[in-house]
Amino acid sequence: EIVLTQSPGTLSLSPGERATLSCRASQSGISYLAWYQQKVGQAPRLLIYDASKRATGVPARFSGSGSGTDFTLTISSLEPEDFGVYYCQLRSHWPLMFTFGQGTRLEIK
Amino acid sequence: QVHLGQSGAEVKKPGASVKVSCKVSGHSLTEVAIHWVRQAPGKGLEWMGGFDPEEDNTAYPQNFQGRVTMTEDTSTDTAYMELSSLSSEDTALYYCVTELELLGDYVGGFDFWGHGTLVTVSS
C-alpha cells in the first residue's frame, strides 16, 4: 500500500506570502494525485486533480506540480480565506485504492 | 452540478450496524461514481470504498473488507453505506462523494461532497 507523507505538518505564514506544501509517496504507481482544502466545519474542497489541473472555480494562485513520488501545491500569494488544512490524495490501480496524506495545517502568522 | 443529500446523524451502541444514505440530484446515480470517505473528530480523511469503473464493481480497502457494504438504488438515485460491528473508533463524520469524470475517464479527484453524516458510537 502506498503511503502519502505531507510536510510540513503546520505552516505559519502571513497574507501575501507564498506557500509551498509537499506530498511524498512511499513508492511509485500513482495514477492520479489530487489536493483538497478543508476549513473548519466544512467538507473538503477539490483544488487540484491529475497533479496540476485546477478544479472548476479554483483561483489561479493555486498550482500543483510534480510526478512520480514527489508532488507540490503552491499558493502564490496567500489570501485570508486560504488558511485551513490541505490534504493530498492519490488514486492507484490495481486494485483501486484512494489514499490521503495526513494533512498540512496552514495558519495565519 | 451534482448535489448529494445525506441522511441525519446516528447514535449507535458498540457492536451495532449503521446504514447511511446519500441521495443524488442534478444527475442520475448511474452517471456518477459514488465513494465514501470518513473523518474522525479532529483527524484526517479515510477512504472507505466506492465504485470502480474499470471493474464495474465496488472496491473496498482491506481494512474495511467484510465490515462495510455499499449499495445503490437506481430507482431513487440513492446510494447506501452500511458499516457493521461498530466500535468507538468508528465515531466519525461520513461523507458520500463523487469521483471527477472527464470525457469518460475518472481522474481521481472527489469533486462533489455531501454535507456529512455524524455517526456516534457510544455505550
Side-chain angles (χ1 to χ4, degrees), chain B residues 5 20-24 29 71-80:
Chain B
V20 179
S21 68
C22 173
K23 166 77 173 174
V24 178
L29 182 56
T71 55
E72 296 183 347
D73 182 347
T74 55
S75 68
T76 61
D77 287 325
T78 303
Y80 299 90

Side-chain angles (χ1 to χ4, degrees), chain A residues 32 34 36 38 42-44 46 49-50 87 89 91 93-94 96-98 100, chain B residues 35 39 43-45 47 52 54-55 95 99-100 102 106-110 113:
Chain A
Y32 296 103
Y36 300 84
Q38 187 176 32
Q42 296 184 18
L46 178 66
Y49 66 94
D50 197 10
Y87 295 95
Q89 173 229 354
R91 184 193 206 267
H93 218 259
W94 287 255
L96 181 65
M97 178 67 66
F98 292 84
F100 290 92
Chain B
H35 294 260
Q39 187 170 35
K43 302 296 184 183
L45 302 166
W47 177 66
D52 183 344
E54 282 91 352
E55 301 295 328
Y95 293 103
E99 185 179 4
L100 177 61
L102 294 173
Y106 288 89
V107 294
F110 295 141
W113 293 65

